[in-house]
Amino acid sequence: MNLAPTQPRPHARRGLRYPIVLGAAVALGAGVLLAPNATAADKWGPGYLIADSTGNPDTSHIGGYTLPGVDGVTYCGDPELDGPEAADGYGPAQPVTSWTSKATGRPAAAQDLARAAYVLGKYGQTRSDEQAAAVDAAVYTYLEAGSTYALPTGKRALERLGYSNVPPSVKGRATGYLDEAALFAGPYKVNINPVGGPIKAGEKTSVTLDVTAASGRKVPGVKLDLDVSGAAAGSGSITTNADGVATATVLPAKDGTIDVKASAKSLPATQLRSLAPTNAKAQRLLLAGGASNAQAEVQLKTERPKGRLTVTKTAADTRKPLGGVEFAVRDSAGKTVATGRTDAKGIWRTQDLPVATYTVHETRAVEGYQLAADQKISVTDGGTADVAVEDVRIPEQPKPKPRPVTIPVLPQTGS
């Protein structure tokens, strides 16, 4: 940032000078006194006093700015305008929906605004001189993309990081922030995915969760609050692992559906907040800190465990299969849940049946055979229960034997 002057003197537009006398108490701005061993950077906030772009020493600042009345560290957003003390005050912080560089006249890309918000949100609130200077360099890179103030090749950006009082580690930090934001800046999306096959009532099932950044990369170390309805267990909090994935166990209570809602409430900021100066010739300020959230909700269908029945029908006398025999499967309440007939091979297979005990009832036999007795059979999860049914031939009725008939002879009579 550039500093505002305490007394008029010729200067470059980007370089405003303060009288600095090290080792002595001097007045800077509105009655701020420095201790004998302090530097002017103490007045502004964490960071370093550096020369401006014309070489005037100690007339610019790389780092954060502590604004009276503002809760948090701020960072200058317009490298070629006057410093904050020339602002005549600032308005309240407002969300930034778009940003146009006052140095180049070019708008910043939405992706760069989100990445700047990530760096300011995660690293901007600091008292560390090195960290604040690195954040400042990264923010200018995003808002002044392609200009002299943008890393990795901008002349002024490299000058700002190359002064003797700025540790070389600051450049490494700034580069690290840029790389990290490219991977993990928002906006964010929460994803919920069931693991494996169908979700069955009464059986534990696993659900994986992750939070993806704008790059599509899964974000590690994110705490997710789970709210699971329609299940006996599953609600609580989990945190994504080093690979950006968390696994929760859900126990569905019954058939129907369960609703799984996951909320991440402390993600890095995805939107900048700016304070506008009263004097338009002064720099806009960007407020550090902030957070964002993301959530997702899915409805998962549960089902009871199921199995199948296979009925094999044969004739008791010939052991041959009987086709066309009709059957009904009834549950414990006597309700018919499946019907069908045997094929030419004497076989009938049911569709999926919920796990339970059923009665296999023959409703129609082939001609010449009796109906078989009912059979009870249990269906297990994923299994096939085999039912062997034999029909007994209807016995033939014996033919009646003729009875001898005796016709009595009547006596003859004559005239």
Side-chain angles (χ1 to χ4, degrees), residues 206-223:
S206 294
V207 176
T208 63
L209 303 100
D210 62 74
V211 179
T212 51
S215 66
R217 188 74 170 261
K218 293 180 175 65
V219 184
V222 177
K223 180 183 176 182

Side-chain angles (χ1 to χ4, degrees), residues 385-396:
D386 294 318
V387 184
V389 182
E390 290 184 342
D391 274 5
V392 176
R393 187 178 290 276
I394 298 173
E396 294 184 7

Side-chain angles (χ1 to χ4, degrees), residues 164-187:
S164 59
N165 65 320
V166 179
S169 57
V170 172
K171 183 178 179 182
R173 283 200 184 201
T175 301
Y177 295 160
L178 295 173
D179 292 342
E180 182 180 331
L183 292 177
F184 297 120

Side-chain angles (χ1 to χ4, degrees), residues 126-360:
T126 179
R127 295 183 179 181
S128 164
D129 292 337
E130 290 188 24
Q131 184 167 316
V135 170
D136 195 15
V139 169
Y140 272 175
T141 297
Y142 292 124
L143 302 185
E144 304 291 331
S147 76
T148 187
Y149 291 91
L151 293 170
T153 59
K155 179 180 177 182
R156 181 59 183 156
L158 297 175
E159 285 179 351
R160 283 159 53 84
L161 295 171
Y163 288 105
S164 59
N165 65 320
V166 179
S169 57
V170 172
K171 183 178 179 182
R173 283 200 184 201
T175 301
Y177 295 160
L178 295 173
D179 292 342
E180 182 180 331
L183 292 177
F184 297 120
Y188 300 99
K189 180 182 178 183
V190 176
N191 304 288
I192 307 171
N193 300 293
V195 178
I199 299 174
K200 298 178 180 179
E203 294 186 7
K204 292 181 179 180
T205 188
S206 294
V207 176
T208 63
L209 303 100
D210 62 74
V211 179
T212 51
S215 66
R217 188 74 170 261
K218 293 180 175 65
V219 184
V222 177
K223 180 183 176 182
L224 290 157
D225 294 327
L226 292 182
D227 182 9
V228 182
S229 61
S235 297
S237 296
I238 55 175
T239 301
T240 58
N241 61 18
D243 295 323
V245 178
T247 302
T249 300
V250 177
L251 178 59
K254 57 183 179 180
D255 286 356
T257 59
I258 56 174
D259 295 315
V260 182
K261 184 177 181 180
S263 302
K265 300 177 181 178
S266 56
L267 293 165
T270 58
Q271 188 172 42
L272 293 172
R273 295 172 294 165
S274 175
L275 293 78
T278 301
N279 177 9
K281 294 183 179 181
Q283 299 203 36
R284 292 168 288 181
L285 294 180
L286 295 162
L287 185 62
S292 67
N293 60 76
Q295 53 276 324
E297 184 173 0
V298 297
Q299 190 174 75
L300 305 176
K301 185 177 182 180
T302 64
E303 61 181 39
R304 292 178 62 186
K306 293 181 179 180
R308 293 187 176 189
L309 281 174
T310 297
V311 177
T312 303
K313 182 68 173 175
T314 57
D317 54 346
T318 65
R319 303 299 179 185
K320 291 182 179 180
L322 292 176
V325 180
E326 297 179 3
F327 286 90
V329 178
R330 297 170 179 171
D331 62 16
S332 59
K335 180 181 177 182
T336 298
V337 296
T339 60
R341 67 173 59 190
T342 58
D343 59 18
K345 296 181 179 179
I347 294 174
W348 171 58
R349 294 184 176 88
T350 68
Q351 299 299 320
D352 289 345
L353 292 173
V355 170
T357 298
Y358 296 95
T359 298
V360 178

